[in-house]
Amino acid sequence: ASLAGASSAFTAHRAGNRASTRPASVRMDLRGPHHLPSSGFYPFEPSAPSTRLFANNFDDEGSKNVEASDGSSGIRQLLGVKGASGTDNIWKIRLQLTKPVTWVPLVWGVMCGAAASGNYHWIWNPFDPNDRDVLLGLTDTAKGLTAMFLSGPLLTGYCQTCNDWYDRDIDAINEPYRPIPSGAITGPEVIAQIWVLLLAGLGTSLALDKWCGHEFPTVFAISVFGAFISYIYSAPPLKLKQNGWAGNFALGASYISLPWWCGQAVFGTLDRPVYFVLPILYSIAGLGIAIVNDFKSIEGDREMGLQSLPVAFGIDTAKYICAGSVTLTQLGVAAYLFSIGEPAYAAGLLALILPQVFFQATLLLPDPVANDVKYQASAQPFLVFGILLTGLCVGHHDFGILA
């Protein structure tokens, strides 16, 4: 999985040996994605395993969660990140599958889109006496929260659950203690979760369109497109994540462009090319961020035949692709803001780019495998605030009738 780290103590050979010691009724097929039976546009297999076997009950040392002993395993389990503890609470397991930690960029993206619309109203704006309509502000707040719920828990939850389902073979190598490869949740339960989240998301998007008075269901169309991209990212036969370029760009677009467009559609319109170009540029930066997540998965990716960029080009080349895509696209956005007569916003964006370059030079480039988490934690806040700054600039800029 894109957020999974490679576990060097657990190899495909050991996974095969462990699987062979279990009763046939509880074995998982660890032979690779090419062994998944084809069932068309259908996010699961009818023969999904239905027996639970909890990760924290494994006797094999290679299957244990080596990061669960630092006192944070319970929180990690709820957030859906590596180092999680085992649990038999089905609702905690369901929440873990949706990876709540990954909702944050989508929620932020909705905020950036709302800012770019220039039409979001505060409940009581301390900076603008003309923007203090409490009822209008409460309505916009409710719309914004609904759009965030749509983009985060529902559709990102759908995407992550679907991704974990199709990644169960590679997770058995990289993170064998995750709910699906460990058997902590049954196949039919995973399948039901995928469908519930997808249908709830599409229904919510239609409700938002009706609430916003859209003649064309823009939010629904964005949601359908996003759900489709999420599916082909993880599922055969396309499985975009098998290709480093296509997979990482799809991931970047899903985390940046789609929630931006959702937020902007709820509060404004998508009637200018710039509303598409800027989020897509930031999605290229998102491609670089996705590469960072691939460094520690290189062992499992290579074993399963996934052509992530670190596998295809090697770590040394991939780290420069990562740094270049993140930095150069932001410089391009800053140049655009300057070109439309917004030098203050351009200068602000440059000020946010400089710390990212520093952390690339001190953390990412020296050792991207050892420093991936430190780099993400250090540099990403500056990136996401730069996206919001860009949205605010677009929302406040007077493009005129010719723009």
Side-chain angles (χ1 to χ4, degrees):
S2 61
L3 295 176
S7 176
S8 58
F10 189 84
T11 64
H13 177 70
R14 287 175 66 89
N17 287 344
R18 191 180 76 242
S20 66
T21 62
R22 300 177 190 167
S25 61
V26 298
R27 290 179 191 165
M28 297 291 290
D29 187 354
L30 305 179
R31 295 171 294 173
H34 57 282
H35 283 279
L36 297 177
S38 175
S39 55
F41 193 78
Y42 201 55
F44 57 88
E45 302 164 33
S47 58
S50 60
T51 303
R52 289 201 180 103
L53 188 63
F54 298 105
N56 54 337
N57 291 335
F58 286 156
D59 293 327
D60 190 339
E61 289 296 321
S63 68
K64 290 183 178 178
N65 182 353
V66 296
E67 298 189 38
S69 59
D70 64 355
S72 64
S73 59
I75 296 297
R76 290 171 181 265
Q77 191 276 327
L78 293 176
L79 293 177
V81 298
K82 61 186 178 182
S85 61
T87 180
D88 60 359
N89 185 314
I90 187 61
W91 294 108
K92 287 185 177 181
I93 293 169
R94 289 191 181 280
L95 182 65
Q96 182 181 3
L97 280 177
T98 67
K99 293 189 180 76
V101 71
T102 65
W103 302 350
V104 178
L106 282 293
V107 169
W108 190 267
V110 171
M111 290 173 53
C112 295
S117 74
N119 196 41
Y120 177 82
H121 299 89
W122 295 32
I123 296 176
W124 195 87
N125 190 340
F127 306 107
D128 184 358
N130 296 317
D131 186 17
R132 295 177 181 175
D133 186 326
V134 174
L135 183 59
L136 180 59
L138 288 172
T139 300
D140 279 4
T141 299
K143 288 179 180 178
L145 291 174
T146 303
M148 292 174 183
F149 182 68
L150 165 65
S151 298
L154 294 181
L155 291 185
T156 304
Y158 153 78
C159 170
Q160 295 292 354
T161 306
C162 196
N163 184 64
D164 263 27
W165 176 250
Y166 283 106
D167 268 7
R168 62 193 185 277
D169 295 309
I170 195 169
D171 281 346
I173 297 172
N174 290 337
E175 292 185 286
Y177 43 80
R178 285 200 60 77
I180 297 175
S182 74
I185 186 170
T186 69
E189 287 169 334
V190 177
I191 292 160
Q193 178 160 318
I194 290 172
W195 280 110
V196 167
L197 291 172
L198 174 61
L199 295 177
L202 296 181
T204 301
S205 68
L206 279 172
L208 261 176
D209 278 317
K210 184 174 179 61
W211 191 1
C212 296
H214 294 161
E215 293 184 6
F216 177 82
T218 310
V219 180
F220 177 74
I222 293 169
S223 299
V224 170
F225 178 69
F228 175 70
I229 294 297
S230 298
Y231 180 83
I232 64 174
Y233 172 80
S234 301
L238 294 179
K239 202 173 180 75
L240 296 181
K241 68 186 303 176
Q242 292 183 118
N243 179 282
W245 292 110
N248 286 341
F249 182 75
L251 195 63
S254 297
Y255 275 78
I256 298 175
S257 294
L258 291 173
W260 176 312
W261 293 332
C262 175
Q264 186 153 358
V266 168
F267 296 104
T269 57
L270 294 168
D271 57 354
R272 298 180 188 275
V274 66
Y275 298 151
F276 295 92
V277 173
L278 291 179
I280 289 173
L281 282 175
Y282 273 115
S283 295
I284 297 174
L287 179 150
I289 297 302
I291 295 173
V292 179
N293 293 325
D294 289 336
F295 285 117
K296 280 194 174 179
S297 299
I298 191 169
E299 178 186 337
D301 289 347
R302 184 181 291 116
E303 181 71 23
M304 303 305 295
L306 301 181
Q307 288 297 304
S308 67
L309 294 184
V311 171
F313 293 97
I315 291 177
D316 286 341
T317 300
K319 68 185 183 183
Y320 285 105
I321 296 174
C322 171
S325 61
V326 171
T327 303
L328 294 178
T329 52
Q330 292 182 86
L331 289 174
V333 173
Y336 170 76
L337 299 185
F338 183 81
S339 73
I340 62 173
E342 298 286 357
Y345 283 103
L349 186 54
L350 285 174
L352 292 169
I353 294 172
L354 290 176
Q356 298 176 63
V357 174
F358 171 78
F359 290 122
Q360 289 169 2
T362 58
L363 294 175
L364 178 67
L365 298 181
D367 192 341
V369 177
N371 297 328
D372 63 335
V373 176
K374 289 182 181 178
Y375 169 71
Q376 297 273 48
S378 302
Q380 276 204 37
F382 297 98
L383 171 65
V384 298
F385 276 107
I387 299 173
L388 179 60
L389 184 69
T390 302
L392 289 169
C393 177
V394 171
H396 287 88
H397 182 73
D398 182 5
F399 286 97
I401 60 173
L402 299 179

